[in-house]
Amino acid sequence: MGNDFASSRERSDFVHEVNNFRDFSLMKGNAWLAGYLVVTVALLGGAGFFFAKGRGAYDESFSGWDNLSSKIERLEKEVPYPSEENQKELDDLVTAYSAEVNALYESLARYQKPLNQDISDSEFTTQVLAGKVSAFTKFASENKFGIDNKEQFYMGMSSYQSTFPKPAIVPLLNYQLEAIDYLLRLMVDAGVDSLRYVTREGLPGENEADTPGTEGGIVAGQVVQKYPINLRFSTSHAALQDFVNQLANDKEYFFILRMLRVDNSSPDGPEVSDGGAGPLFKADDGSVPSQELTDQIMSQALSFEETAAAFAEKGFQMQREDARIIFGQEKLGVFAVIDVVRFLPPNEVELAEGGDAKKGGNPPTKRR
């Protein structure tokens, strides 16, 4: 009986321990499950937030694409813009602008000659250039116009005495040659004494080392083309003044006098008499008035004409005026840089802007 009781108690204690372990396990399992649920809920909440945000951006993008697609479809069905009225207005403006450009060119074209496109490279060297040199040399000799180093004179184009130029630049090279010949003849007509030398700057594209975009002697992007000519010559004051006036008013070419340097052959000026820098009076035998006579006449405060008459009464004639003392009769050494200006006609403007020469450039030149 005693053993039965002990066994019964042991079973009761065992059952109690099992129940306690089960309750502890349940409590621990519930805590883990609660933590898991919290993390899961947080993740689901974050995913939901980002999903909602992404869905909003997607809906916005889709709506924008849908609107753009609808707009494109609508525009494809509409009449293209501009309307006929706007297109006509634009065409009228372009036509009026083109007319103004052509009118401007026509006003400037009076100062330049058209390019001669019919000269080949061989013809330029053997006929045109050689003929110009020979004709001007003869003209200079007939008008007593001196040329320094005449045997080397070749109109500034001595490099083509025995070689041919590039065919593409022949028209503009001939244009420059004619301008040089014209300038030299202006000098002769103005009374210039002699030419020391004439040189020129090479045309764009004339040399192999020239930069691209200068084919045919035209600088890309420049509607106004300039060809500088360098001249050094000896002349008088009057002839220089006449020559410069002719340049400024010429009707055959458009010249720009870029630089002018004048050196007087007597920089110290002419000698003056002992009487000072006033008029000089001499008798027929070369004698001059005495200082006493000069002081007597000059003290009377006479006019210039009366003073000259007073000296003449004493047998002394006026030999020199003040202006001749200032300017003298010296010769001038002149160095000038003169630009020969050419305005591109409308059919060459596209070439100057880097366009296709076939559309708006010079016609092809003849080949030898």
Side-chain angles (χ1 to χ4, degrees):
M1 179 176 177
N3 291 334
D4 292 337
F5 178 79
S7 298
S8 176
R9 186 172 183 178
E10 290 176 355
R11 285 196 301 269
S12 177
D13 291 338
F14 176 76
V15 171
H16 180 71
E17 291 294 335
V18 169
N19 289 333
N20 289 339
F21 177 77
R22 185 185 61 186
D23 293 340
F24 175 76
S25 298
L26 288 175
M27 290 178 61
K28 186 175 181 181
N30 289 337
W32 179 86
L33 180 61
Y36 175 79
L37 290 176
V38 170
V39 172
T40 301
V41 170
L43 292 175
L44 290 176
F49 170 76
F50 286 109
F51 174 78
K53 184 177 180 181
R55 179 54 185 261
Y58 168 79
D59 291 341
E60 183 178 354
S61 299
F62 185 82
S63 178
W65 164 255
D66 189 53
N67 292 336
L68 181 61
S69 178
S70 300
K71 184 177 182 180
I72 293 174
E73 184 178 358
R74 185 179 71 254
L75 291 175
E76 288 177 345
K77 296 179 181 180
E78 292 182 353
V79 177
Y81 186 84
S83 64
E84 293 184 2
E85 180 181 354
N86 290 336
Q87 184 64 49
K88 182 179 182 304
E89 183 178 355
L90 177 61
D91 292 341
D92 291 343
L93 290 174
V94 172
T95 301
Y97 177 77
S98 299
E100 292 178 0
V101 171
N102 290 332
L104 175 60
Y105 170 73
E106 291 299 328
S107 67
L108 298 173
R110 295 176 299 173
Y111 301 100
Q112 62 188 34
K113 302 178 184 298
L115 296 183
N116 188 342
Q117 303 286 354
D118 297 325
I119 304 175
S120 69
D121 48 358
S122 59
E123 290 172 342
F124 177 80
T125 296
T126 60
Q127 299 178 31
V128 178
L129 178 56
K132 287 286 186 184
V133 173
S134 177
F136 179 77
T137 302
K138 181 180 178 181
F139 176 75
S141 178
E142 292 173 348
N143 290 272
K144 297 180 174 54
F145 179 77
I147 300 177
D148 291 2
N149 301 319
K150 185 180 296 186
E151 64 280 357
Q152 299 179 5
F153 172 74
Y154 219 72
M155 306 289 281
M157 297 189 178
S158 57
S159 58
Y160 297 120
Q161 284 183 276
S162 57
T163 60
F164 299 139
K166 295 180 181 178
I169 68 166
V170 169
L172 281 173
L173 200 61
N174 179 69
Y175 187 89
Q176 191 179 40
L177 173 63
E178 291 186 346
I180 292 174
D181 180 69
Y182 186 83
L183 272 175
L184 296 180
R185 290 176 181 268
L186 281 183
M187 292 170 58
V188 176
D189 292 339
V192 173
D193 296 324
S194 64
L195 175 70
R196 298 186 60 183
Y197 65 77
V198 54
T199 61
R200 66 183 182 90
E201 292 187 16
L203 294 173
E206 184 173 349
N207 301 313
E208 296 295 338
D210 288 343
T211 57
T214 58
E215 293 77 9
I218 294 177
V219 180
Q222 295 184 11
V223 177
V224 180
Q225 307 284 313
K226 299 178 182 179
Y227 313 119
I229 308 298
N230 305 319
L231 297 170
R232 183 174 287 279
F233 53 92
S234 298
T235 183
S236 64
H237 289 272
L240 175 60
Q241 185 177 25
D242 190 16
F243 177 59
V244 172
N245 287 337
Q246 289 186 55
L247 289 178
N249 297 282
D250 194 77
K251 303 300 182 183
E252 297 294 325
Y253 291 89
F254 195 100
F255 294 118
I256 295 177
L257 186 58
R258 181 190 296 187
M259 189 183 78
L260 184 69
R261 175 178 175 177
V262 180
D263 295 319
N264 197 315
S265 61
S266 299
D268 295 332
E271 296 181 0
V272 296
S273 66
D274 294 338
L280 175 64
F281 297 92
K282 285 186 178 181
D284 294 340
D285 59 1
S287 61
V288 297
S290 64
Q291 189 63 45
E292 181 181 358
L293 177 60
T294 300
D295 292 341
Q296 178 184 352
I297 295 176
M298 298 302 293
S299 64
Q300 299 178 30
L302 303 174
S303 65
F304 183 82
E305 290 78 8
E306 292 172 339
T307 300
F311 277 104
E313 289 179 1
K314 301 297 182 180
F316 298 97
Q317 303 298 325
M318 186 171 61
Q319 305 295 309
R320 180 174 62 198
E321 296 182 5
D322 290 345
R324 289 189 61 185
I325 293 177
I326 296 174
F327 295 106
Q329 295 298 309
E330 304 89 349
K331 294 299 180 182
L332 304 177
V334 180
F335 174 74
V337 180
I338 300 172
D339 286 337
V340 181
V341 180
R342 181 172 179 265
F343 304 96
L344 293 188
N347 68 318
E348 294 182 35
V349 171
E350 185 175 354
L351 179 61
E353 294 176 349
D356 188 354
K358 295 180 181 179
K359 296 180 180 180
N362 293 323
T365 57
K366 292 171 60 179
R367 306 280 175 166
R368 69 175 184 271

